[in-house]
């Protein structure tokens, strides 16, 4: 598998993980093929997180408007009273969950990574160089009528890295059972 094929496969896994995350938050999810003007989301809170191994490094980011963060926040008793600090923490938690989903997809394909800690940014001065040297790609999703941005950058260190493009049929979905 070439590096381009490897990166394309990880992009597909990332896109699936994004949809899984948003659907798990009870959002109506539509992938947007047409990217929005980046500046439309400049005021949206953003969180970034990385994960990697000796073979590769993956950086992901989420830009989610406050409206979507409030809508998806798990405690909905009094949404009007949720302050910005709580929603800032929530976007970081969502980035962490998204990376966890990506890690689960990769693990099922015999690609192990360690996950870092999320970093939160707010405002137009987000520095995308924090996403390393990999090629930056943005995916856009319409969540109940509001556009959100999911970013990924992948850096391959091992040119001979092998990747099982399909998960084994008996692969666990990574869910946790509570009893």
């Amino acid at each position: 598998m070439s590096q381009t094929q490897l990166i394309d496969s990880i992009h597909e896994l990332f896109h699936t993980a994004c949809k899984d995350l948003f659907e798990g938050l009870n959002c109506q999810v539509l992938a947007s093929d047409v990217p929005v003007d980046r500046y439309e989301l400049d005021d949206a809170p953003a969180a970034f997180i990385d994960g990697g191994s000796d073979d590769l490094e993956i950086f992901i980011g989420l830009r989610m408007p406050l409206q979507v963060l409030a809508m998806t926040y798990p405690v909905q008793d009094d949404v009007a009273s949720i302050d910005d600090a709580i929603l800032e923490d929530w976007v970081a938690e969502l980035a962490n969950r998204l990376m966890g989903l990506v890690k689960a997809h990769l693990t099922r394909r015999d690609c192990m990574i360690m996950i870092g800690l999320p970093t939160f940014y707010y405002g137009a001065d987000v520095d995308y160089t924090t996403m390393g040297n990999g090629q930056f790609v943005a995916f856009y999703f319409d969540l109940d009528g509001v556009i959100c941005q999911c970013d990924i950058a992948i850096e391959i260190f091992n040119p001979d890295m092998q990747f099982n493009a399909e998960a084994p049929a008996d692969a666990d979905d990574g869910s946790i059972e509570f009893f």
Side-chain angles (χ1 to χ4, degrees):
M1 174 178 284
S2 73
Q3 281 193 9
T4 302
Q5 292 171 317
L6 176 65
I7 290 172
D8 288 346
S9 293
I10 295 172
H11 284 163
E12 288 178 31
L13 295 177
F14 178 69
H15 194 272
T16 299
C18 291
K19 285 184 68 173
D20 291 347
L21 174 72
F22 299 139
E23 287 171 354
L25 297 169
N26 297 318
C27 293
Q28 175 138 1
V29 182
L30 299 172
S32 177
D33 293 332
V34 180
V36 297
D37 183 356
R38 185 178 81 77
Y39 298 104
E40 289 181 21
L41 291 170
D42 271 352
D43 291 333
F48 297 91
I49 189 169
D50 70 324
S53 68
D54 290 340
D55 295 325
L56 80 159
E57 187 81 20
I58 299 173
F59 298 86
I60 66 170
L62 287 179
R63 275 191 176 276
M64 299 183 74
L66 289 172
Q67 174 185 356
V68 174
L69 292 172
M71 175 181 68
T72 60
Y73 191 71
V75 180
Q76 293 290 319
D77 292 338
D78 190 9
V79 171
S81 69
I82 300 174
D83 66 24
D84 289 351
I86 291 172
L87 295 179
E88 291 167 4
D89 185 56
W90 180 232
V91 74
E93 171 61 24
L94 292 175
N96 193 41
R97 289 182 184 193
L98 179 56
M99 183 57 91
L101 289 169
V102 170
K103 179 179 179 174
H105 282 293
L106 292 171
T107 300
R108 287 193 300 273
R109 290 162 177 82
D110 299 322
C111 181
M112 303 299 292
I113 63 170
M114 298 293 293
I115 297 176
L117 296 173
T119 305
F120 171 79
Y121 295 92
Y122 192 76
D125 61 346
V126 173
D127 181 7
Y128 284 99
T129 63
T130 61
M131 293 187 74
N133 296 323
Q135 182 181 1
F136 170 83
V137 176
F139 294 97
Y140 297 90
F141 294 90
D142 179 322
L143 305 181
D144 295 331
V146 181
I147 298 296
C148 296
Q149 179 178 335
C150 300
D151 308 314
I152 186 168
I154 305 164
E155 213 175 331
I156 306 293
F157 303 129
N158 178 0
D160 298 323
M161 179 182 167
Q162 295 298 310
F163 182 76
N164 184 2
E166 293 190 27
D170 62 345
D172 181 17
D173 67 359
S175 62
I176 299 173
E177 293 184 23
F178 295 99
F179 47 105

